[in-house]
Amino acid sequence: MIGGTVPGRTSRIPVGVGISDSTGRFRVKLGDFPGTEMLEVQGGAGPRPMGRWLRIALTAERAWIAPDVNTDIYGFALSGDLTTVIRTPSFEHTVTAADVTFYRQLMVDSARSARAKEAMGGLFDSADPPKTLPMALQLVGDLRNNLWLRPYPSAAERNPDWMVFSPDGVWLGRVMLPAGLHVYEIGEDYVLGVVDDDERGHSIRVHRLTR
């Protein structure tokens, strides 16, 4: 134990979430929600491999929050009032040895230096994996005020379909997007994102969207 840490212990410190206007002036607090799941290591702490995250998305009508303590997503009006709760289908995916291998390789490959790759591999080797995968990898609101949810990939389903919900929380369907695309904006007829390529760096991509 160094500096008050207990190697192997995990925690999620609550964080406050609120809405500010375009000038940066704070308008309303939406609540306190569990933050990034942290893993304590010798001398400090970092995000737990395959751990849970607080996911947030914003549209012109709603602020959406997925705390990842269950499969619920909370929709708030911009006034701060809770208006919608989406009871999503179960994302309870038990972590397998194949999942650990899959994510270990992803994280090692994403590290830029040999030292970082070694450290990432060691973190996976020393930490116990979570029992289940997180619920969502991304939440994105589109220009129609719909909410898009990208489920967490697994070794068996590496590029799962996105799930789309209306502003009122009604499930609209599934959409397949290119693997490796980190989505930043979804317009009326396009999806804008970035692909990280080891050889060419970051590539900005625009894909046509047919609704």
Side-chain angles (χ1 to χ4, degrees):
M1 178 175 173
I2 299 177
T5 62
V6 179
R9 183 172 64 183
T10 61
S11 61
R12 296 186 71 188
I13 299 175
V15 296
V17 179
I19 298 176
S20 300
D21 63 22
S22 59
T23 67
R25 182 173 58 90
F26 181 78
R27 290 179 51 189
V28 63
K29 183 175 180 178
L30 302 181
D32 294 312
F33 301 91
T36 303
E37 186 173 12
M38 304 295 286
L39 173 70
E40 296 184 8
V41 295
Q42 288 289 89
R48 182 185 188 183
M50 303 160 63
R52 300 183 183 280
W53 294 70
L54 175 64
R55 302 299 186 189
I56 300 172
L58 187 66
T59 70
E61 295 181 352
R62 297 279 191 280
W64 295 98
I65 298 178
D68 207 354
V69 294
N70 50 33
T71 61
D72 292 347
I73 304 173
Y74 303 101
F76 294 84
L78 300 189
S79 63
D81 296 323
L82 177 64
T83 61
T84 311
V85 178
I86 299 178
R87 310 285 186 185
T88 66
S90 176
F91 288 98
E92 195 79 0
H93 176 93
T94 301
V95 172
T96 65
D99 292 324
V100 176
T101 300
F102 169 59
Y103 274 101
R104 184 185 190 281
Q105 192 62 51
L106 278 181
M107 298 305 295
V108 169
D109 288 346
S110 67
R112 297 298 184 185
S113 67
R115 177 176 294 183
K117 291 179 185 293
E118 182 180 356
M120 186 58 66
L123 184 62
F124 263 86
D125 294 339
S126 61
D128 292 330
K131 293 182 179 179
T132 59
L133 286 177
M135 168 187 160
L137 186 62
Q138 267 193 278
L139 281 185
V140 180
D142 72 12
L143 295 188
R144 286 191 179 184
N145 298 304
N146 297 321
L147 178 69
W148 293 53
L149 181 151
R150 182 185 181 187
Y152 220 78
S154 66
E157 193 172 6
R158 302 190 177 196
N159 186 35
D161 292 346
W162 289 63
M163 304 182 68
V164 186
F165 301 89
S166 75
D168 297 324
V170 177
W171 184 72
L172 300 178
R174 297 177 180 269
V175 178
M176 178 183 291
L177 293 180
L181 181 70
H182 185 85
V183 175
Y184 281 93
E185 184 173 292
I186 303 172
E188 183 64 30
D189 58 358
Y190 67 90
V191 175
L192 172 67
V194 171
V195 172
D196 188 9
D197 188 298
D198 288 337
E199 296 181 356
R200 294 179 294 178
H202 297 293
S203 300
I204 299 174
R205 305 277 182 87
V206 179
H207 295 269
R208 183 177 300 281
L209 173 63
T210 301
R211 295 184 180 266

